[in-house]
Amino acid sequence: MRFDTVLIGGGLSSLVCGILLQREGKKCLMISAGQNALHFSSGAFGLLGCMPDGTPVDAPFEAFSALAPSHPYRKIGRTLCESYADAAVPFFASCGIPLQGFGRRNGFRLTASGSFKRAWLAFQDVPFFSSDDALDGKRALIVTLDGFLDFYPEMLSDGLRRRGVESRCVSVHLSCLDALRGGPGEMRSVGIARILNRETNWKQFGREVRALLDGEDLVIVPEVFGLEDRIVNEWIAEMIPAQVLYVGTMPPSVSGIRVQRLLKNAFIQAGGTFLMGDTACDPEWAPDGTVRCIHTANLGAPGIEADSFVYAGGHLFGRGIESHPDGFSDPVFGLDVVCDADRASWVERGFFQAQPYMGYGIGTDERFRGLKDGRTVENLYVAGAQLAGCNSLQEGSGAGVAVMSAMHIAADILKRTENVGE
Amino acid sequence: MSENSINHFEQCIKCTVCTAYCPVLGVNPAFPGPKQAGPDGERLRLKDKFYYDPSLKYCLNCKRCEVSCPSGVKIADIIQSARRRFNDDTPDLRDRVLANTDFMGKMARPFAPLVNKVVSLRPVKKVMDVMMDIEQERTFPKYRSKGFDAIFRSDFAPYQNRFPRHVAFFRGCSTEFQHPETGIAFVRLMNAVGIGVRLLDEKCCGVALMANGLWHHAEKNARHNVKVFSEAVAGGLPVVAVSSTCAFTMRDEYPGVLEVDNASVRESITLAEKFLFEQVDSGRVKLVFRKDYASRIAYHIPCHMEKLGWSIFTKELLQMAPSISLKVLDSNCCGMAGTYGFKKENYPYSQAIGRPLFEQIKSLSPDVVCCECETCKWQIEASTGYTVLNPVVILAEALDIEATCAANGGFVKA
């Protein structure tokens, strides 16, 4: 079996890269071992929320020059990053995912604890503001659902109070959720969203909230709507005579799942082949050190050949890199993982401190081609969370690195085949 | 930690992704869901079997939780294995009737026209519904008077020796008793590309036995089949099935749930589409398609095909035919899950699970629906009115048999 490009991983980075390539007529195969980090999405994409030392960042592109030269953004360069950023919004819109943002500056996303976090772009149904004082002086009604344990109104209320936003917490009893509430299973965001997707049910919710409203300017509800289509969120907002804000819950992320499905559909619609629940393994190498073909656990013996391979297997959670008592490794290609040799320095003692191990990843050259024993593998690119050189959790840069590296790699692959064509 | 370890459930990091993809959880609130029924429940059950929850029977065993799990936890295996180890209920008559697909087939065959007629009568359905909890809205697939085995022996067996190489054909219960045309299409396909077919002394793969709690019987069948396959494989024959669920069960459920070791034959157990694609891909076989065969096909990927990960082979093969226009349906469970949907208590859930699929098919209005699983076929045909064919049947129809024979040194009796 032969493809132009094989992408390993089915998350944000792989999907963006795959869609861009497939739309340019490249025959792509995507191999995804289980679902991905979009299922835990906050509803917003971070680019650079703060510097590695914790200093908050308002103008991320201007801050790139202060990052280490090994940081993915430095490898791409500010000018190209800015052009990719400009391309990102129309790109996601073309996949059915409208995003909101504030140009070159960070916006502020309201979190479930009532604080504001810096982010680059946000899904349309996420409360996203140009400054962290956007809600100051307002009054809010925070609504949860009886029996739902993955959303904490009091915590949210407490966080808002510190900003001078007064709020009242209420819980709504919806009879359509009785079966879910009384059942032996867990009452999770997606289960609720499935039920509230039905018109009679979300209308019941809208009516109950409208009745509870007592002059508040804001209504804050958990994001348990819009699993299929975010139009439901807009319809509910229309029913309620106040500004309605949907705030993320504990996983799974309803909006993240929707976005993942839209991206996957865009890839398939463009003609891409998606292998779900399969694992890449046993690469075969050509004499010149490039990857000749890859195998998968499900497909077995026939190798999958390609001109180029994009490895976007995620971080430790996605098992794109693995930890062992004596170090870290790449489970598929055996590429070099950049990490501290001394186990004692992998972690910081303080739970909320930046954890060094979160910054470990696969080493690459300037074009994001993986290094194996220090040498560049010419046709194997590494994208997204798997890349070394950034602590995305600390920086709030996970989605930014995923999207930028994916766009950079897609451009490189397209340029390279153009050159061959000449 | 090894994926076969008894503590494999500890790989679960409680991320809840599986709960978003369980088709049962969306319609039946009595089911605790894959995470709780699987890895969460397992740590309790290991302490004391008191924690075994009978509602685990609502699991369809569709494996969608496993396909979605980012941590590689075999969630549905954990659930099915818990049913096997902890459920003491003796299967009742209804479950035995549904489970013994091969025995029932053999019993019904001599009286096929009569049996088909009787079980499709309204009053009889009503009685089965009331007395046996078999849903009266269901129609049993028709038994054939002449099974595949008999047809093969009289029409095809005599000339199979003239081919230079062979495959062992695992025909499965539905080909034998209800849909011999699938087996005939398979033999014609193989013969056209110059490959002979041998039958196996097979027993039912056991999937319905497992679903209905006849574990011991299922295990016996598994041991028998693995032994028979070993002989075929020793003779250089791959074991080729036409039902995705048979292939999946024999490859993955034998070791994963029944704890029957199939390591020596597992890689040789394959599906017609995978086998044929590999032959074409490696250049050993050439397919020539008819110019006058045009069809708009909607391809439904059965859950166990999703789990096998082999739908790519079916898609590639069907797309080789120049005048087939192929639409792959959204990944949804049809709700039938073998014998699950026949049971009265499951019927409403079964239909609710399948609804998005039925609606998509109706909106597309294809010439024909295609899928590798016979119980998906029954469900989709009954719920949409569209004809559902195994890809093998479509390929055999779309192929220019004469030209394909000529290209491969094949031979098909007219």
Side-chain angles (χ1 to χ4, degrees), chain A residues 1 3 29 33-35 39-40 179-180 183-186 188 190 194 251-252 257 260 273 275-277 298-299 302 317 319, chain B residues 13 15-17 19-22 26 29-30 32 35-36 67-72 274 277-278 281 307-310 312-313:
Chain A
M1 221 179 304
F3 290 86
L29 175 76
Q35 294 290 2
H39 289 63
F40 315 104
L180 198 60
E186 298 154 311
R188 298 260 178 210
V190 169
R194 278 185 186 131
I257 289 177
Q260 192 273 342
T273 305
L275 298 181
M276 188 69 222
N298 283 341
L299 301 190
F317 171 59
R319 298 192 296 177
Chain B
I13 64 157
C15 77
T16 69
V17 159
T19 62
Y21 292 91
C22 173
K35 171 172 161 286
Q36 207 171 310
V67 173
S68 73
C69 177
S71 305
K274 181 176 195 281
F277 176 84
E278 286 167 4
D281 195 45
K307 173 64 181 157
L308 283 167
W310 292 352
I312 183 174
F313 300 121

Side-chain angles (χ1 to χ4, degrees), chain B residues 315-393:
Chain B
K315 280 182 259 182
E316 293 282 328
L317 278 176
L318 291 173
Q319 278 166 348
M320 287 176 195
S323 39
I324 284 181
S325 108
L326 184 71
K327 165 76 188 169
V328 180
L329 297 164
D330 294 345
S331 184
N332 279 309
C333 176
C334 77
M336 186 61 134
T339 60
Y340 184 95
F342 279 97
K343 299 177 181 178
K344 190 175 175 178
E345 68 273 24
N346 295 335
Y347 181 76
Y349 304 129
S350 174
Q351 295 312 101
I353 290 169
R355 194 162 298 130
L357 172 67
F358 310 151
E359 281 169 8
Q360 197 190 9
I361 291 172
K362 286 176 191 166
S363 75
L364 285 169
S365 174
D367 295 329
V368 67
V369 179
C370 157
C371 79
E372 297 89 346
C373 169
E374 60 280 0
T375 66
C376 296
K377 169 185 161 77
W378 302 337
Q379 168 78 330
I380 296 168
E381 288 187 340
S383 308
T384 67
Y386 284 88
T387 304
V388 183
L389 298 175
N390 189 296
V392 163
V393 175

Side-chain angles (χ1 to χ4, degrees), chain A residues 314-316 319-323 328-331 337 360-362 386:
Chain A
H315 203 252
L316 286 162
R319 298 192 296 177
I321 57 171
E322 285 179 345
S323 68
F328 291 79
S329 66
D330 154 24
V337 176
Y360 302 160
I362 292 175
Q386 213 165 359

Side-chain angles (χ1 to χ4, degrees), chain B residues 30-65:
Chain B
F31 181 55
K35 171 172 161 286
Q36 207 171 310
D40 287 9
E42 188 69 3
R43 69 181 65 239
L44 298 173
R45 293 188 291 260
L46 282 180
K47 267 187 194 153
D48 192 323
K49 104 181 238 193
F50 165 80
Y51 293 104
Y52 175 77
D53 182 347
S55 65
L56 263 56
K57 69 180 176 202
Y58 294 121
C59 169
L60 290 168
N61 200 24
C62 69
K63 305 282 178 188
R64 283 177 187 270
C65 46

Side-chain angles (χ1 to χ4, degrees), chain B residues 86-360:
Chain B
F86 300 120
N87 187 15
D88 301 328
D89 294 350
T90 328
D92 58 15
L93 176 65
R94 188 264 319 256
D95 290 358
R96 287 176 189 280
V97 165
L98 291 175
N100 283 281
T101 49
D102 52 352
F103 176 79
M104 291 307 290
K106 276 182 202 136
M107 289 296 106
R109 179 144 65 202
F111 321 102
L114 184 68
V115 172
N116 293 336
K117 180 93 189 133
V118 169
V119 296
S120 64
L121 292 174
R122 266 275 152 210
V124 176
K125 283 186 172 188
K126 181 93 197 155
V127 169
M128 290 199 297
D129 187 296
V130 173
M131 305 285 291
M132 291 174 73
D133 287 334
I134 293 175
E135 172 58 41
Q136 56 178 312
E137 293 299 322
R138 287 272 175 232
T139 299
F140 275 89
K142 304 258 178 293
Y143 290 109
R144 301 291 181 82
S145 305
K146 193 171 181 185
F148 172 75
D149 188 284
I151 298 171
F152 179 82
R153 279 178 211 288
S154 64
D155 297 0
F156 299 101
Y159 67 91
Q160 295 303 311
N161 277 337
R162 60 195 280 177
F163 296 101
R165 57 194 181 114
H166 294 84
V167 293
F169 179 33
F170 186 92
R171 53 202 185 278
C173 298
S174 74
T175 298
E176 178 57 33
F177 299 109
Q178 287 117 351
H179 307 296
E181 64 278 3
T182 308
I184 293 167
F186 174 76
V187 177
R188 286 170 59 85
L189 262 183
M190 289 297 116
N191 288 175
V193 299
I195 297 173
V197 174
R198 305 252 186 255
L199 293 195
L200 289 154
D201 171 29
E202 69 184 48
K203 287 198 187 301
C204 166
C205 71
V207 69
L209 297 166
M210 289 161 60
N212 289 286
L214 294 153
W215 301 102
H216 185 66
H217 190 166
E219 201 185 307
K220 239 174 76 186
N221 283 16
R223 292 194 193 286
H224 172 90
N225 284 337
V226 170
K227 188 168 151 281
V228 170
F229 297 169
S230 309
E231 289 157 15
V233 171
L237 305 186
V239 176
V240 187
V242 286
S243 159
S244 45
T245 288
C246 295
F248 160 74
T249 301
M250 299 186 300
R251 282 174 62 96
D252 293 344
E253 301 283 82
Y254 284 5
V257 177
L258 292 177
E259 293 173 34
V260 170
D261 180 14
N262 68 352
S264 61
V265 297
R266 183 176 181 273
E267 278 311 303
S268 301
I269 304 171
T270 185
L271 203 61
E273 292 77 14
K274 181 176 195 281
F275 175 78
L276 191 58
F277 176 84
E278 286 167 4
Q279 297 294 314
V280 175
D281 195 45
S282 64
R284 294 188 79 180
V285 153
K286 199 170 163 344
L287 301 180
V288 187
F289 288 91
R290 277 163 53 187
K291 304 259 181 308
D292 61 340
Y293 182 87
S295 187
R296 288 181 310 114
I297 297 173
Y299 174 37
H300 162 66
I301 306 172
C303 297
H304 291 160
M305 196 68 179
E306 291 276 16
K307 173 64 181 157
L308 283 167
W310 292 352
S311 62
I312 183 174
F313 300 121
T314 303
K315 280 182 259 182
E316 293 282 328
L317 278 176
L318 291 173
Q319 278 166 348
M320 287 176 195
S323 39
I324 284 181
S325 108
L326 184 71
K327 165 76 188 169
V328 180
L329 297 164
D330 294 345
S331 184
N332 279 309
C333 176
C334 77
M336 186 61 134
T339 60
Y340 184 95
F342 279 97
K343 299 177 181 178
K344 190 175 175 178
E345 68 273 24
N346 295 335
Y347 181 76
Y349 304 129
S350 174
Q351 295 312 101
I353 290 169
R355 194 162 298 130
L357 172 67
F358 310 151
E359 281 169 8
Q360 197 190 9

Side-chain angles (χ1 to χ4, degrees), chain A residues 210-247:
Chain A
R210 199 167 52 195
L212 285 164
L213 202 61
D214 185 19
E216 284 92 352
D217 318 288
L218 302 170
V219 171
I220 301 176
V221 301
E223 173 125 68
V224 290
F225 304 93
L227 183 62
E228 302 297 324
D229 193 335
R230 66 179 177 83
I231 191 80
V232 172
N233 305 33
E234 290 174 20
W235 287 334
I236 295 171
E238 270 176 34
M239 285 184 77
I240 298 167
Q243 189 183 358
V244 179
L245 305 178
Y246 296 91
V247 169

Side-chain angles (χ1 to χ4, degrees), chain A residues 92-117:
Chain A
F92 282 100
S94 75
C95 302
I97 305 158
L99 296 172
Q100 39 174 340
F102 301 95
R104 297 268 190 272
R105 296 188 68 78
N106 274 330
F108 292 85
R109 168 180 69 84
L110 176 60
T111 71
S113 62
S115 63
F116 289 86
K117 265 203 157 171

